[in-house]
Amino acid sequence: MQQDKHPEYRPVVFRDRSAGYAFLTRSTATSDRTIVWDDGETYPVVEVEISSESHPFYTGKARTVDSEGRVARFERRYGGEGGDEGGDEGQGAGASG
């Protein structure tokens, strides 16, 4: 087996920015920042945008962003007939049709 081929696998702290939650695990992720953990040891810390503490699936605070589809919203907004009423708008004076 070749030596020095794999990255170092070591303890790393991942911190969720939005929830303020941090957890210690092992990873190959690298970081220039460090943090003193509860056990008194210093570990590299990796900032993450979302974790199980802030993700809507795990927190149960899911929000529905698009309850109706894009087509339904378009039809509600613009009439949904699909006909040519007003179809020549914005095409200029020389447009035929």
Side-chain angles (χ1 to χ4, degrees):
M1 185 169 153
Q2 295 179 357
Q3 297 298 319
D4 300 325
K5 187 161 185 146
H6 298 285
E8 182 184 356
Y9 188 65
R10 64 187 185 293
V12 177
V13 174
F14 286 90
R15 182 170 41 199
D16 185 340
R17 292 181 189 176
S18 60
Y21 174 72
F23 58 95
L24 177 65
T25 188
R26 295 180 54 85
S27 176
T28 59
T30 59
S31 175
D32 295 332
R33 296 184 189 174
T34 59
I35 188 172
V36 177
W37 194 243
D38 298 337
D39 62 1
E41 296 291 323
T42 301
Y43 300 105
V45 63
V46 176
E47 302 282 340
V48 294
E49 296 293 326
I50 196 160
S51 71
S52 60
E53 289 294 312
S54 61
H55 193 282
F57 179 80
Y58 297 104
T59 61
K61 298 178 184 173
R63 60 177 189 206
T64 304
V65 176
D66 190 11
S67 61
E68 60 180 335
R70 291 183 181 209
V71 173
R73 190 171 20 163
F74 178 85
E75 288 175 352
R76 181 178 44 102
R77 185 178 292 166
Y78 297 108
E81 296 297 320
D84 277 338
E85 305 108 27
D88 291 336
E89 293 177 11
Q91 292 190 10
S96 62

